[in-house]
Amino acid sequence: MFDVLVYVYENYWQGDACPEWSQLERTLSTLGFEPEEIEGALYWLDGLYDAVQGQLEHPELQHPASMRVYLPREQEHLGEECLGYLGFLESSGLLPPFMREVVVDRAMVLPSEYLSREMLRLILRMAYWSFGTEPQEHLVLSELSDDGVLRVLH
């Protein structure tokens, strides 16, 4: 499923470029993705759409100065590294509360063996994509796309 989501993001990151689900499903199948992977990814993407719509329909639910307390099951599922990364993005002002909730929602439906910092980055990129925005800072974009290679700043 991860590979399907990566493909969808890399090829359709401009929201208006993404085809209807039935056409996307045929395209993914033609590319050789397994039916179970495709079905899981489309189900996950439907959930992403629903989570975004919920946030857009009820902006009053998230105050910009609100504090998020993670439930024990969320702490266990997300793990220390992902929670730390979310905290870093929030404290930097780069992850607003409404988007954080979408990211947490989508991360919680993944089996824990799939959830890594790399997968969290993909979820973050897809959340930005779904809200029709991009991170304002070019450094954030490079951080979200970091491949672990040591780089020298110029």
Side-chain angles (χ1 to χ4, degrees):
M1 181 174 93
F2 179 74
D3 292 334
V4 174
L5 292 174
V6 168
Y7 176 85
V8 169
Y9 176 76
E10 288 178 351
N11 290 278
Y12 303 111
W13 65 271
Q14 295 173 327
D16 56 345
C18 194
E20 298 277 332
W21 279 168
S22 58
Q23 182 181 350
L24 179 59
E25 187 173 8
R26 285 191 302 274
T27 300
L28 294 169
S29 182
T30 301
L31 291 169
F33 289 108
E34 296 295 324
E36 301 82 32
E37 290 179 296
I38 296 169
E39 184 178 326
L42 293 178
Y43 180 77
W44 189 91
L45 288 167
D46 274 338
L48 176 62
Y49 175 80
D50 291 343
V52 167
Q53 291 307 307
Q55 290 298 321
L56 292 174
E57 291 171 6
H58 301 286
E60 73 281 358
L61 296 178
Q62 294 299 322
H63 188 275
S66 67
M67 184 176 103
R68 176 65 150 88
V69 177
Y70 292 91
L71 297 171
R73 66 181 174 82
E74 292 172 325
Q75 292 175 22
E76 184 179 330
H77 188 78
L78 295 170
E80 194 174 298
E81 185 178 18
C82 289
L83 287 171
Y85 190 60
L86 289 172
F88 161 75
L89 292 173
E90 283 185 83
S91 67
S92 300
L94 303 169
L95 183 64
F98 67 90
M99 195 176 297
R100 175 201 58 222
E101 291 307 307
V102 170
V103 170
V104 170
D105 174 76
R106 295 292 76 211
M108 289 301 294
V109 299
L110 293 173
S112 59
E113 64 266 16
Y114 287 115
L115 193 57
S116 63
R117 188 170 171 172
E118 181 181 357
M119 188 61 179
L120 185 63
R121 286 182 185 148
L122 176 63
I123 295 169
L124 284 159
R125 289 189 305 258
M126 294 189 95
Y128 277 106
W129 171 47
S130 296
F131 280 103
T133 63
E134 290 184 39
Q136 296 299 314
E137 305 288 331
H138 65 77
L139 293 176
V140 174
L141 187 56
S142 68
E143 169 60 22
L144 290 176
S145 302
D146 184 24
D147 57 7
V149 175
L150 184 59
R151 293 184 177 84
V152 177
L153 294 176
H154 293 31

